[in-house]
Amino acid sequence: MTRRIEDHALLGDGETVALVDRTGSIDWLCWPRIDAEALFCALLGDDDNGFWRIAPVDASAAVSRQYRDGTLVLETRFEGAEGCVEVVDALPVGNGNRHLVRLVRGLHGRVRMRSEVAIRFGYGLTIPWVTHEDGVLTAVGGAHRLLLRSPVAHAGRDFRSYADFTVGEGEEVPFVLSHGVSYEPPPAALDAQRALDDTTGYWRAWLGRCRIEGPWAPMVRRSLLTLKALTNARTGGIAAAATTSLPEAWGGARNWDYRYCWLRDSTMALLALLQTGFVEEAREWRNWLLRAVAGAPADMQIMYGVAGERLLPEWEADWLPGFGGARPVRIGNAAARQRQLDIYGEVADVMLHSAAHGDLPDAQGYRRGLAVMQHVARIWQEPDWGMWEVRGPPRHFTHSKVMAWVSVDRFVRLAEMLERDDLARWRALRDEIHAWVCRHCLDPQGGCFVQYAGSRDLDASLLMLPIVGFLPPDDPRMRATVAAIERDLMRDGLVCRYITDPAVDGLPPGEGSFLACSFWLVDNLVLQGRLPQARAMYERLLGLCNDVGLLSEEYDPVAQRMLGNFPQAFSHIGIVNSALNLVRAEGPAKSRADKSAQ
């Protein structure tokens, strides 16, 4: 396997994303949206599935790269025997069109360069009709049209297009790839340098609103930029990750499409943004939520498309070999139809936070909340598939029941802010759910909480109990739970979600360490006052980021390689929230919930 997940950097424009590897190759790009068909899909196959590389002819050139400070504009530097060049990459923001800009800058010497592009529509399946006229490469396939404009002309050979050129010190060569529909006039040309300047200014102005101090502020800012890149600027929806089907186990079948908006992931992202000063993003997401879930509470889904689409059918792209041979490559996500009780608590929690920032619900919003509570009251005792979206039978997962409790607790507290007096029923329900969890989801021998009622197994989601305020962190049951997770779920210093078992999740055993879980342990260590251990673990997690500050979903500590979709919102949420908790030197339950024991 020649490609590595951690070799990639992220570009974003508020509608889609691209991944660029250290060789200067665009290996992943979907247009017009993050969840649309990929036209560069080498990430999940090989070069024949679509890529665009700009790099020196001398493949031995040393590579270094960085983002322009406070932006998603990437600068990759190649230095070799002939000299040094820099390739600047960006998806321009705010011009109303869809472009990818690449600018080659000569720094010293004269360097022979090559642009090599293979466009493949339909996730690497379709070779388009390509023409080269007047210095413009045009590719058409179905509804798609791409135009590649540059002063350097490309020529076709073996279903790819090539352009060889030389760059000297002080010289610049721009390339602009533009996307449009095949049945309309082609997109207008774009000034590459101006687009880069405008995009640099946009990201720096946005990040300038950030309120974060402390030793980890640079990493937090990079994570906030990553979360913003996963947010659709037009709809407010927040995707869970930039990719589909990057494997959770080498060569395995745990490959899922994460380019959709999970209510759970989105609410956690919003809490991270709210705590760092980005209130407008929370308002836009709330509006997205109200549109997406409009209708009966019983029809509320765990995830939606970035514009609120409900139908996300799962299918397999059987022509793709998968990343490192991990098959199948899945498009869409069948888990959209699962019942997961925790989503009601996540949504209620972020609504309470929004209200605390001055965005109180109106009368209609309160009635919607009341309708959701009535639905929770009817279904909270039913089994579900849990936050890990197991493909096995539904169970009474502890985390799901706790988040049902959170939904009622946050509704009660929000109603109290609105000075409502019809709350006796909901306070009683809150107490009932709490008592049920403490009675049915506790291992009487070990004194710790378990994965689901009647089980003896552990689950890292139990680390959320003190974070959401279900119990105080010094409760003996929570101390026993954290100790048990440290003893039984940690591998090489990182936390696994659970011990994989086909009887529970319906999948072959084995996966990497789920990075968000390790951040939850950091938060618990802070809550328990174990600050030196918390800082050490947090620093180790930051050390797993790649050279441009990005994290995937999981990590293999033995192979020292990233696993899972990339970059992953959950992981970057952990970077933000754990830094805030460490800086405050107190746990997140203080700001998210009442710390008093229930």
Side-chain angles (χ1 to χ4, degrees):
M1 178 168 45
T2 57
R3 287 181 169 84
R4 304 192 310 168
I5 294 172
E6 55 266 35
D7 285 343
H8 291 84
L10 175 74
L11 310 177
D13 64 0
E15 290 199 51
T16 194
V17 296
L19 295 183
V20 192
D21 79 358
R22 290 179 57 84
T23 71
S25 176
I26 309 284
D27 288 343
W28 180 254
L29 172 61
C30 302
W31 258 332
R33 287 191 341 188
I34 192 172
D35 57 353
E37 295 179 4
L39 55 97
F40 295 140
C41 199
L43 184 69
L44 298 177
D46 55 34
D47 285 357
D48 286 336
N49 299 119
F51 74 102
W52 180 18
R53 181 179 294 109
I54 299 179
V57 174
D58 176 12
S60 66
V63 180
S64 62
R65 60 182 181 172
Q66 63 181 11
Y67 285 110
R68 286 185 181 175
D69 187 47
T71 77
L72 285 172
V73 178
L74 182 70
E75 299 173 334
T76 303
R77 185 167 294 191
F78 300 90
E79 186 153 12
E82 295 180 345
C84 183
V85 298
E86 185 176 73
V87 179
V88 184
D89 292 323
L91 288 168
V93 177
N95 54 47
N97 295 300
R98 296 180 288 273
H99 304 280
L100 169 62
V101 170
R102 314 195 74 181
L103 180 67
V104 182
R105 301 176 59 237
L107 301 182
H108 63 79
R110 291 192 62 79
V111 182
R112 292 173 298 139
M113 301 288 293
R114 174 170 294 160
S115 169
E116 181 180 359
V117 58
I119 299 166
R120 301 291 186 265
F121 295 127
Y123 296 103
L125 178 64
T126 303
I127 299 175
W129 184 261
V130 177
T131 59
H132 305 85
E133 297 180 359
D134 300 324
V136 178
L137 181 157
T138 301
V140 175
H144 298 282
R145 184 208 307 268
L146 291 180
L147 280 78
L148 176 54
R149 298 180 174 99
S150 173
V152 176
H154 287 73
R157 185 174 71 252
D158 299 329
F159 301 104
R160 299 183 185 181
S161 296
Y162 300 84
D164 289 332
F165 59 102
T166 301
V167 177
E169 182 175 344
E171 296 177 349
E172 295 183 344
V173 181
F175 297 80
V176 179
L177 182 67
S178 305
H179 176 268
V181 292
S182 58
Y183 47 85
E184 293 181 354
L190 185 73
D191 183 287
Q193 186 60 64
R194 181 175 179 180
L196 288 172
D197 291 343
D198 290 346
T199 300
T200 298
Y202 168 86
W203 288 115
R204 287 176 175 168
W206 181 82
L207 195 60
R209 295 157 48 196
C210 175
R211 298 197 308 265
I212 179 66
E213 301 295 337
W216 303 290
M219 293 298 291
V220 170
R221 293 190 182 100
R222 176 53 50 194
S223 291
L224 291 170
L225 283 165
T226 303
L227 294 175
K228 180 64 172 175
L230 296 173
T231 303
N232 188 284
R234 299 177 64 190
T235 71
I238 304 175
T243 57
T244 179
S245 297
L246 291 180
E248 297 172 3
W250 301 117
R254 295 174 180 266
N255 317 316
W256 315 108
D257 194 344
Y258 278 11
R259 298 171 299 154
Y260 304 113
C261 303
W262 271 255
L263 297 188
R264 176 191 313 111
D265 301 49
S266 297
T267 55
M268 291 184 176
L270 258 296
L271 290 173
L273 289 165
L274 272 172
Q275 293 184 87
T276 49
F278 296 98
V279 177
E280 183 60 31
E281 281 68 21
R283 186 173 296 111
E284 292 172 356
W285 181 82
R286 185 199 64 176
N287 293 336
W288 173 89
L289 174 70
L290 294 176
R291 296 191 304 269
V293 306
D299 296 330
M300 191 168 166
Q301 297 185 179
I302 69 165
M303 75 177 87
Y304 299 85
V306 295
E309 297 90 347
R310 296 184 178 223
L311 299 179
L312 307 174
E314 183 178 301
W315 56 278
E316 297 178 4
D318 57 9
W319 60 88
L320 287 172
F323 182 89
R327 304 181 71 183
V329 171
R330 293 183 174 95
I331 311 299
N333 200 307
R337 307 305 299 173
Q338 287 187 353
R339 178 174 61 251
Q340 295 178 22
L341 297 176
D342 71 293
I343 63 172
Y344 302 103
E346 301 291 358
V347 170
D349 194 36
V350 80
M351 289 300 185
L352 180 64
H353 270 267
S354 295
H357 283 79
D359 199 6
L360 288 165
D362 56 18
Q364 182 180 13
Y366 182 79
R367 287 194 295 272
R368 287 181 177 178
L370 182 60
V372 172
M373 285 303 99
Q374 291 167 342
H375 179 62
V376 170
R378 288 191 295 269
I379 69 167
W380 75 269
Q381 296 185 72
E382 298 179 8
D384 73 344
W385 282 270
M387 75 173 297
W388 304 129
E389 298 166 5
V390 300
R391 299 289 172 114
R395 300 179 185 272
H396 294 283
F397 287 103
T398 303
H399 175 264
S400 297
K401 304 302 185 188
V402 168
M403 294 309 294
W405 172 88
V406 168
S407 70
V408 183
D409 174 73
R410 303 315 194 254
F411 175 76
V412 168
R413 294 168 61 187
L414 183 60
E416 290 171 344
M417 291 175 63
L418 297 173
E419 300 182 345
R420 307 287 300 207
D421 56 7
D422 50 345
L423 300 178
R425 174 191 177 188
W426 307 114
R427 292 187 178 113
L429 178 61
R430 178 174 61 180
D431 294 343
E432 180 184 359
I433 298 174
H434 197 283
W436 191 97
V437 172
C438 292
R439 183 168 61 252
H440 294 283
C441 299
L442 195 72
D443 179 354
Q445 295 182 8
C448 62
F449 288 98
V450 293
Q451 185 178 40
Y452 57 87
S455 170
R456 297 290 303 277
D457 297 328
L458 292 166
D459 192 301
S461 64
L462 300 170
L463 294 169
M464 294 298 295
L465 271 61
I467 293 175
V468 300
F470 183 80
L471 284 173
D474 56 357
D475 185 284
R477 293 164 292 184
M478 280 314 312
R479 286 195 175 275
T481 301
V482 173
I485 288 173
E486 289 182 279
R487 181 186 67 242
D488 296 338
L489 288 188
M490 293 195 74
R491 300 289 183 271
D492 298 292
L494 299 175
V495 181
C496 299
R497 294 189 295 178
Y498 52 87
I499 303 302
T500 55
D501 181 355
V504 176
D505 63 15
L507 294 165
E511 66 170 359
S513 297
F514 194 83
L515 292 171
C517 299
S518 294
F519 286 109
W520 298 341
L521 180 57
V522 171
D523 295 339
N524 274 262
L525 295 175
V526 173
L527 282 165
Q528 293 184 0
R530 298 161 61 186
L531 293 182
Q533 292 169 271
R535 290 191 189 99
M537 187 166 190
Y538 184 72
E539 292 284 2
R540 189 200 171 182
L541 288 166
L542 291 186
L544 302 182
C545 292
N546 72 359
D547 58 324
V548 288
L550 300 180
L551 274 180
S552 63
E553 177 188 18
E554 299 189 1
Y555 188 80
D556 180 348
V558 176
Q560 298 184 348
R561 297 278 302 278
M562 290 189 185
L563 285 167
N565 284 306
F566 173 90
Q568 175 84 357
F570 240 163
S571 300
H572 287 277
I573 292 165
I575 289 177
V576 177
N577 288 341
S578 293
L580 293 172
N581 294 329
L582 280 164
V583 168
R584 289 193 298 255
E586 59 182 345
K590 180 174 179 58
S591 61
R592 292 191 68 181
D594 185 356
K595 275 189 173 181
S596 61
Q598 301 295 324

